[in-house]
Amino acid sequence: MKEVRLRFAPSPTGFLHIGGLRTALYNYLFARNKGGKFILRIEDTDRTRFVQGAIENLIDSLKWAGITYDEGVFVEDGKIVQKGEYGPYIQSQRLDIYKKYVDQLIENGYAYYCFCSKDRLDHLREEQRIKGQVPKYDGLCREIPLDEAKKRIASGEEYVVRLKLPHNKDITFNDLVRGKVTINTNEIDDQVLMKSDGFPTYHMAVVVDDHLMGITHVVRGEEWLSSTPKHVFLYQALGWESPEYVHLPTVLNKDRKKLSKRQGDVSVEDFKERGYLPEGIINYLALVGWSPEDGDEIMNMDELVSKFDFDRVGKSGGIFDTDKLNWVNAHYIKQYPIEKLAELSIPYVVDSGLLKEAYIRENFEWYKVLIDTIKEAIDKLEDIPKHIGFLFGDLKITEDAAMEEINKEHVPDLLKTFIEVVNSHDEISLEVANGLMKEVQKKSGVKGKNLYMPVRAAISGNVHGPEMSNIIYLLGKDKLVQRAQKVLNNLK
């Protein structure tokens, strides 16, 4: 049986879009599920859109997300390298290969030279638009004899090469998501295959590369569905077997519109910067357009690989729901090893100005307790500063419920006892913190809510929140006394 081979072939035009990451993920999951190979190819034939550093960013984003590949373009020691026996894997380095097959198509009557100027084509499109027609090339240069065309080229005329589609012919292909798709050639343009600068268009390059690299399944966004008949025709014209096609539904926002920068985060970099974990992003993205048979929603990469198939990918657009992403990500935050979570959180806390990195490093065990204390309350790492703010600076008690607790009759005596108990210890270790409220209970005779609520309100400003013993440990002796004393002074 033929080895399954899939590829992700982005253009280096900037940061990787979250929809692009999902395409890469589905390619990866299917390849791994079938025990096949996954390849990263760079499609950079549109030189006008090339962005410096974009290849490195793409590779970095895939690595961060845990999507590994077997062949293609890698970064090693800061340099771009290519590995695998089907290279080069960067299209701009394959121009001679494309030219060979474009020449073959021309000689066999499946393509032709076109000399129409940009002005003529713009004028033609405008005329068609006014008449309510589908804008497409009118075939003016289709019938120029090959000898004449070659003479015009020899005399220095500028040209492109176009695909010569037969008139009124149904082209049918099978799509693993949409089933049988048929499009008539009268609805399709005579596509440019080679531009005047000698670079192929996407349509030519993608067919040649996928064939020569042995790609068995082409998995891409549904925006390419209408172009696929051209690709199928090219495979036939070159005498090659077509791969299987899978056109994925578009990733949409809650308004069922395409995700765009205007409405918020769209690049992998955006989500990474906000402190989403790769495990959360990958788990959630898998569910945007696909669902496993067992209905599970929380799955790690190995589970996704074992359950994934294109049979369960939907035809309609997948809705990107940030609330659902937050729920999935929060699950991974709760499960994360605390050492690793604390390490990842440092830049967010330092940027907030609450703590300096040197202090965090010196007091890392204390810091780990801090992160462990609030991790249940956060969806992503950028949320951390607002949940730890109550530990720093002067405490202002503004919550009504907290004020109510503090103003109870027994509170002045309770706080005096609390201060005495805290002062009886040289320092508040985690062990001391765990038993401190029991000591206060024993000494004051107050217990239950009457004990915990007022003390919590006095030291944290809230009646609900993280584990009380953790708050006591994190605040430490001086702050505990200072805060309780301030409340006591105000009550007097």
Side-chain angles (χ1 to χ4, degrees):
M1 203 175 122
K2 203 163 154 189
E3 181 187 50
V4 165
R5 286 174 62 82
L6 287 90
R7 49 65 171 178
F8 177 53
S11 297
T13 55
F15 290 121
L16 179 59
H17 189 283
I18 201 77
L21 183 64
R22 189 195 61 170
T23 302
L25 175 64
Y26 283 12
N27 272 285
Y28 169 85
L29 294 176
F30 188 79
R32 294 288 178 256
N33 178 281
K34 302 297 177 200
K37 292 277 195 291
F38 179 48
I39 295 114
L40 176 68
R41 185 171 77 218
I42 300 297
E43 302 198 335
D44 65 338
T45 56
D46 186 348
R47 303 308 288 170
T48 58
R49 294 175 65 226
F50 180 81
V51 172
Q52 207 62 44
I55 295 176
E56 292 86 340
N57 174 268
L58 283 163
I59 291 169
D60 191 48
S61 293
L62 292 176
K63 189 179 175 184
W64 174 81
I67 296 176
T68 56
Y69 48 96
D70 308 289
E71 292 168 33
V73 186
F74 297 80
V75 171
E76 283 181 1
D77 302 323
K79 289 191 177 70
I80 291 173
V81 297
Q82 300 181 52
K83 294 177 185 178
E85 55 190 281
Y86 297 92
Y89 294 90
I90 296 174
Q91 284 186 337
S92 57
Q93 296 172 13
R94 297 171 62 83
L95 301 186
D96 292 348
I97 300 171
Y98 307 130
K99 187 171 183 334
K100 173 186 159 186
Y101 291 107
V102 167
D103 290 347
Q104 186 181 316
L105 289 168
I106 290 168
E107 294 302 323
N108 294 336
Y110 292 115
Y112 60 93
Y113 295 108
C114 172
F115 302 93
C116 292
S117 68
K118 185 181 179 301
D119 282 352
R120 179 182 184 271
L121 295 173
D122 288 346
H123 184 68
L124 173 69
R125 269 194 292 269
E126 186 57 24
E127 254 181 23
Q128 289 169 330
R129 197 182 60 75
I130 290 164
K131 289 176 184 167
Q133 297 167 344
V134 176
K136 55 186 278 200
Y137 182 60
D138 60 358
L140 182 74
C141 297
R142 266 177 83 108
E143 304 312 325
I144 297 173
L146 192 51
D147 290 349
E148 189 191 319
K150 284 182 175 173
K151 278 181 196 153
R152 288 173 70 171
I153 290 165
S155 72
E157 251 189 89
E158 203 172 85
Y159 67 92
V160 298
V161 177
R162 287 184 183 273
L163 180 63
K164 194 173 195 172
L165 284 167
H167 294 302
N168 195 23
K169 179 184 165 115
D170 281 344
I171 295 179
T172 300
F173 63 94
N174 187 56
D175 184 281
L176 294 186
V177 171
R178 285 145 218 285
K180 193 172 154 187
V181 179
T182 301
I183 297 179
N184 190 280
T185 53
N186 287 357
E187 296 169 40
I188 312 170
D189 212 353
D190 274 5
Q191 183 66 52
V192 173
L193 300 178
M194 186 75 86
K195 294 175 282 188
S196 57
D197 61 4
F199 277 79
T201 59
Y202 169 80
H203 307 279
M204 184 68 201
V206 77
V207 167
V208 171
D209 290 347
D210 285 342
H211 172 72
L212 296 181
M213 293 179 187
I215 301 303
T216 57
H217 296 74
V218 169
V219 181
R220 58 191 176 194
E222 66 183 353
E223 66 271 21
W224 295 109
L225 190 68
S226 60
S227 298
T228 303
K230 300 171 195 175
H231 304 169
V232 171
F233 180 76
L234 275 171
Y235 275 100
Q236 292 166 357
L238 291 162
W240 298 336
E241 188 189 336
S242 276
E244 293 268 18
Y245 285 101
V246 183
H247 290 92
L248 302 174
T250 307
V251 178
L252 305 171
N253 63 22
K254 276 185 177 175
D255 304 329
R256 304 199 70 84
K257 290 192 170 67
K258 203 171 172 183
L259 275 190
S260 82
K261 192 80 188 161
R262 282 192 305 280
Q263 289 130 338
D265 303 322
V266 292
S267 78
V268 177
E269 200 67 24
D270 292 333
F271 289 94
K272 193 174 160 185
E273 279 176 9
R274 294 189 63 195
Y276 286 95
L277 302 177
E279 295 85 348
I281 286 280
I282 285 300
N283 184 160
Y284 176 67
L285 263 188
L287 300 171
V288 182
W290 170 83
S291 62
E293 210 168 336
D294 58 15
D296 270 358
E297 291 198 301
I298 298 293
M299 291 162 282
N300 63 29
M301 192 71 99
D302 291 341
E303 290 165 323
L304 288 169
V305 165
S306 69
K307 293 176 184 185
F308 188 81
D309 210 305
F310 289 118
D311 297 351
R312 297 191 58 82
V313 172
K315 289 186 182 69
S316 57
I319 303 295
F320 193 91
D321 179 351
T322 310
D323 294 338
K324 182 75 175 281
L325 165 63
N326 289 346
W327 175 79
V328 172
N329 201 61
H331 166 85
Y332 285 97
I333 282 176
K334 292 179 183 80
Q335 307 295 316
Y336 236 53
I338 195 60
E339 188 93 22
K340 207 170 165 189
L341 192 66
E343 197 62 55
L344 288 173
S345 72
I346 292 172
Y348 298 88
V349 175
V350 171
D351 284 351
S352 73
L354 291 171
L355 289 170
K356 290 198 159 42
E357 186 166 354
Y359 181 87
I360 293 172
R361 297 282 174 209
E362 281 164 31
N363 301 278
F364 200 62
E365 290 308 307
W366 173 88
Y367 184 73
K368 281 195 309 195
V369 175
L370 171 62
I371 299 304
D372 201 32
T373 302
I374 54 97
K375 70 178 185 184
E376 296 288 323
I378 63 170
D379 299 329
K380 51 199 173 301
L381 301 181
E382 73 167 7
D383 298 342
I384 290 174
K386 71 174 182 230
H387 286 280
I388 63 172
F390 74 91
L391 291 171
F392 305 97
D394 251 7
L395 186 69
K396 289 180 179 67
I397 301 171
T398 54
E399 201 187 77
D400 290 347
M403 292 303 291
E404 208 176 298
E405 287 299 330
I406 284 165
N407 286 318
K408 285 182 175 168
E409 207 176 315
H410 70 289
V411 170
D413 289 338
L414 174 61
L415 289 180
K416 280 178 196 162
T417 309
F418 177 77
I419 291 166
E420 268 175 53
V421 171
V422 172
N423 276 328
S424 70
H425 294 280
D426 293 335
E427 62 167 30
I428 307 295
S429 64
L430 208 44
E431 194 184 345
V432 168
N434 282 329
L436 194 102
M437 290 305 283
K438 274 207 174 77
E439 284 183 65
V440 177
Q441 180 182 326
K442 209 170 174 183
K443 213 162 183 181
S444 67
V446 181
K447 53 186 177 184
K449 277 188 173 178
N450 283 336
L451 168 68
Y452 281 88
M453 293 286 212
V455 172
R456 184 189 279 278
I459 64 173
S460 76
N462 290 296
V463 289
H464 300 292
E467 187 67 47
M468 184 76 155
S469 56
N470 284 17
I471 294 175
I472 289 168
Y473 165 71
L474 291 166
L475 282 167
K477 183 175 175 176
D478 292 348
K479 266 193 187 151
L480 287 169
V481 171
Q482 185 193 338
R483 287 186 175 189
Q485 189 63 57
K486 187 180 172 186
V487 171
L488 197 53
N489 294 344
N490 288 343
L491 289 174
K492 282 175 188 166

